[in-house]
Structures are given as structure tokens and as C-alpha cells.
Amino acid sequence: MFKVFFASLLAGVAAFFACLYLFYSLTTPGDAQAGEWAWDHASGQAGVGTASFGAVGLTLTLDETGRGVFVLPLPALETRLYPVLHLQFSAAPAADSLGVFWRTAQTGDRMAQFWVPGTLEESLWLPMAGMDVWDGQLVELALLVQGAPGSELSVESIRLLPGSPHNQLRAFWVDWQAFVPWGLASTNRYDATRTGQSVLYPVPVAAALLAASLLAYGLILLLSKATRFDWRVPGFLFLFAWICLDLVWQEKLWRQLALTQEKYAGKNDREKLASGPDAGLVKFTSYVRQRLDDSSARVLVGSSDDYRGMRANYYLYPLNVFWHRHESELPARQYIRTGDYIVLVNPSKVRFDRRSSALLSPGIEPVKVQVLAESDVGNLYQVM
């Protein structure tokens, strides 16, 4: 039974990858075989931060705000011919985030963008073909880096690769393996790939491999009179595909759990909040609590960001909080009373006019207030 199982599995895997390779060979534009586009180490400039060029590439030093931008002018390139972007660093970047920006002849001055999620590796392969905005004639490419002020990022090579089967399959494989730490949506969603834009995802691939293996088993039954149908063979094929698919998720899950333990182990609830993704909101709402003269006073929370508004509302409980979800950030003027507190969490469409000391919101009469606190996270006002 196991001989037939392994024969069916190997034949199915071989047939699947042969079909995949043939598909990319047939669908690859012929002129894309001419070769890759590679950055020549001499062109480009730093839009933010400072850039120095050496024999091995570029060293980009982040400015005092922790940002750096490197812009590469390109010859006119058709994006459909270059579906893979490869970045080679001298060492795994310690940057907090990396964004890839590009401009096409169709977008004019507007630049499309993609922020690379997860841990950045020394060799970064990005399948760009699955992105809707990777379309048209490419004229400019830029890297935006955020990290510690004064830190350096060393780039050895930047390449746009043609859509050969080898390049595309390697980019998909790296995209599958890339590790993405916990995010705000991790509780409700699992992204099987780093970019979320891949043409190939693990579940369809596992299903296709299973189908190919079952077809191979069917051929073995037809061609070998000595082999009889054994329900354990398709059962083991299904189990094998399921386990392989689950192992990919489990490996990433255990790495996420290890990071969580490292970051939060031994801390109390308040310390965990102060170390989490809402650390800024927690600190700001704690300060708001301290500034309130009357704990029974009404607190009106406004924000144009649904998530941040709800979280600020949650952290301010059990105060007398009002959150006008999916409506204007502030209630109508007749419902706002003198002495009410207004908490505006960034981003917000409500504007404070310093000359009139009033909050201006579309469709609502100006509200006279005094400023109690201002920060990058949000502002606190009291109605006069």
C-alpha cells in the first residue's frame, strides 16, 4: 500500500510542477527573456536622509526623524515584463518598515506604494505581478525606510526580473516562507503570504497537488492489473496534503508565540498594554483621565479612523464616554454642553481654529473650546 501511496504522491507532485513550469513558460512574454534590469550603483539620489555610494552598493543613512528615501530613475519599462522585484542587502535590515514606491506613465505624478510587512531578510523577493497597481510603463522606483534616527541601510543590488518560471516560482516560495509577526488583524485573519498579493496561495496549491496525486493513483489502477483499489491510499494522500498545509501555518504560529512571550512575559495587564500596538493610545487616554476635573463629566470622542476611535473609547471607560460611530465626529451643536470634554484622536477631520478658539467640523456649528492637551496621538479640549 505504501509503495502505491508514494508512487502516486511523487507522480502527482512531478506532474503539478511540470504543468506549473509549462504554464509560466507559455505565458511569459517573449521579449522579457532579454534579461533583467539592474541598478548600476551610480544613478539615484536620496530624497530624505543621506546616501553614500561604494563599490558594493549604497548606504542610506536615516535623518533625525528616522526616515530615508532613495529614488531611482528608470528607463521606460513595461511592468508586465518585470513581475518580480529583488532587493539584496548587505545584512538583514533593522528598519522598522520598508516601503516600495513606483510611478508609471499612466499615474503621472502620483506614486503607487507597497509597504513590506513582516521581518525583512537579507535577500528580499517580492512578486509584484499580483498587485493591481503594478501596471503600465514604469518610469520611477523609490525605497522609503523608517527606523532609528541615524541608522544605516546598506543595499547591494536592486533588480527587476523578467517573468521566467524560475524567477516567479522562487518569488512565490519566498513569499510563502516570509515571517510576519502579530498584527492587529491576526486574531481574525491569517495571511498565508507576506504580500497578500500572490498569484499562488498554499490552500489552492495543496488542493491541486492532492488532485494530481489522486489522478496519478487512478492511472496506476488503470495501468496495473495487479493493483487493486485501496481506500487508504487516497486517505493518506489527503492526510499528507492536510498536514503539509498545516505545518506551514504552525511553524509561523510558533514563531509568533515566541515573539509574544519575549515581549509580554512577566508583565502585568497595564504593562502589556503599554508595550503593545496601542501603546500611544494607552498613554494618551491615561493622561486624559488625569486631566478631567469631574469623572462624571461627558467625554465626546471623535476620529476619522474607526479603529482608533473605538480603541480610545474603550480605554476611556468607565468614564461617561460618547462615540458617534459611522457618523460625524462630533454630535450636533445642540447636544454639546458647556463643560463637556472633547477628545479628538488622530487622524481627525475636525480642525481647531486658534484665532476663534473653536472646533470646526463640516456640517456643524463652531464649538468654542479651550485646549487642555495636544499630542501626536490626539488632543483634549473642554467646551466653554
Side-chain angles (χ1 to χ4, degrees):
M1 187 273 294
F2 283 107
K3 287 184 178 181
V4 177
F5 163 74
F6 283 114
S8 302
L9 179 63
L10 293 175
V13 170
F16 172 78
F17 281 105
C19 291
L20 196 62
Y21 196 90
L22 180 63
F23 170 77
Y24 282 120
S25 298
L26 295 175
T27 57
T28 297
D31 48 351
Q33 304 293 343
E36 64 185 44
W37 175 87
W39 169 53
D40 60 9
H41 291 188
S43 61
Q45 61 182 354
V48 178
T50 57
S52 58
F53 300 92
V56 294
L58 156 78
T59 299
L60 181 64
T61 304
L62 307 191
D63 66 5
E64 63 277 2
T65 64
R67 299 173 71 244
V69 176
F70 184 65
V71 183
L72 292 87
L74 301 176
L77 299 174
E78 287 293 334
T79 54
R80 66 183 181 87
L81 303 181
Y82 297 92
V84 178
L85 173 63
H86 178 243
L87 305 175
Q88 181 66 47
F89 304 101
S90 298
D96 296 333
S97 56
L98 172 68
V100 179
F101 290 68
W102 63 92
R103 185 167 58 87
T104 66
Q106 288 75 12
T107 59
D109 293 333
R110 183 179 61 86
M111 298 194 77
Q113 59 179 287
F114 172 70
W115 288 94
V116 182
T119 305
L120 301 177
E121 300 88 18
E122 186 175 336
S123 180
L124 189 61
W125 291 73
L126 298 174
M128 308 295 289
M131 302 182 189
D132 295 335
V133 288
W134 189 258
D135 183 49
Q137 194 175 67
L138 193 66
V139 296
E140 191 174 58
L141 185 68
L143 302 180
L144 192 154
V145 185
Q146 293 181 337
S151 60
E152 296 181 345
L153 178 72
S154 297
V155 184
E156 292 185 358
S157 68
I158 302 173
R159 298 186 297 160
L160 287 169
L161 302 177
S164 67
H166 172 267
N167 290 336
Q168 298 214 61
L169 290 177
R170 181 168 182 179
F172 291 141
W173 176 248
V174 174
D175 198 33
W176 280 21
Q177 289 185 311
F179 173 65
V180 179
W182 286 109
L184 295 175
S186 296
T187 304
N188 302 312
R189 186 182 71 191
Y190 166 61
D191 292 323
T193 64
R194 182 216 296 273
T195 62
Q197 305 287 342
S198 180
V199 179
L200 295 177
Y201 283 89
V203 173
V205 168
L209 286 172
L210 174 61
S213 299
L214 290 174
L215 287 174
Y217 178 54
L219 287 175
I220 291 174
L221 291 176
L222 287 175
L223 299 176
S224 176
K225 296 181 180 180
T227 304
R228 295 186 177 182
F229 176 77
D230 188 337
W231 65 268
R232 293 175 297 177
V233 174
F236 274 111
L237 289 173
F238 178 82
L239 185 62
F240 180 83
W242 186 5
I243 290 175
C244 289
L245 185 64
D246 199 54
L247 284 176
V248 176
W249 170 63
Q250 288 289 340
E251 188 272 337
K252 294 181 180 180
L253 180 62
W254 279 107
R255 291 178 66 182
Q256 289 178 333
L257 290 175
L259 284 180
T260 303
Q261 182 182 28
E262 179 182 341
K263 189 172 184 178
Y264 298 109
K267 297 180 179 180
N268 58 38
D269 291 343
R270 203 67 190 172
E271 291 171 337
K272 290 177 182 177
L273 287 174
S275 302
D278 288 339
L281 274 177
V282 171
K283 183 178 180 180
F284 174 68
T285 52
S286 297
Y287 180 74
V288 168
R289 288 172 174 274
Q290 297 171 9
R291 292 299 306 268
L292 299 188
D293 296 328
D294 182 5
S295 60
S296 64
R298 301 195 311 171
V299 181
L300 312 179
V301 178
S303 177
S304 59
D305 187 297
D306 192 51
Y307 172 82
R308 289 177 63 81
M310 286 193 296
R311 297 300 287 177
N313 190 64
Y314 171 78
Y315 291 130
L316 287 170
Y317 282 140
L319 296 176
N320 187 14
V321 183
F322 176 77
W323 162 242
H324 209 203
R325 191 181 184 196
H326 298 319
E327 301 291 342
S328 59
E329 294 183 42
L330 297 178
R333 183 65 182 88
Q334 63 265 30
Y335 299 115
I336 301 177
R337 303 193 300 240
T338 301
D340 286 348
Y341 292 92
I342 296 177
V343 176
L344 295 180
V345 179
N346 293 327
S348 173
K349 295 179 181 178
V350 180
R351 185 171 62 88
F352 176 64
D353 183 32
R354 296 189 180 277
R355 289 180 298 179
S356 61
S357 296
L359 292 177
L360 308 179
S361 181
I364 296 177
E365 297 179 17
V367 181
K368 286 280 187 179
V369 295
Q370 61 174 329
V371 182
L372 299 183
E374 292 181 304
S375 73
D376 293 336
V377 178
N379 302 326
L380 173 65
Y381 307 94
Q382 188 171 24
V383 181
M384 300 171 61

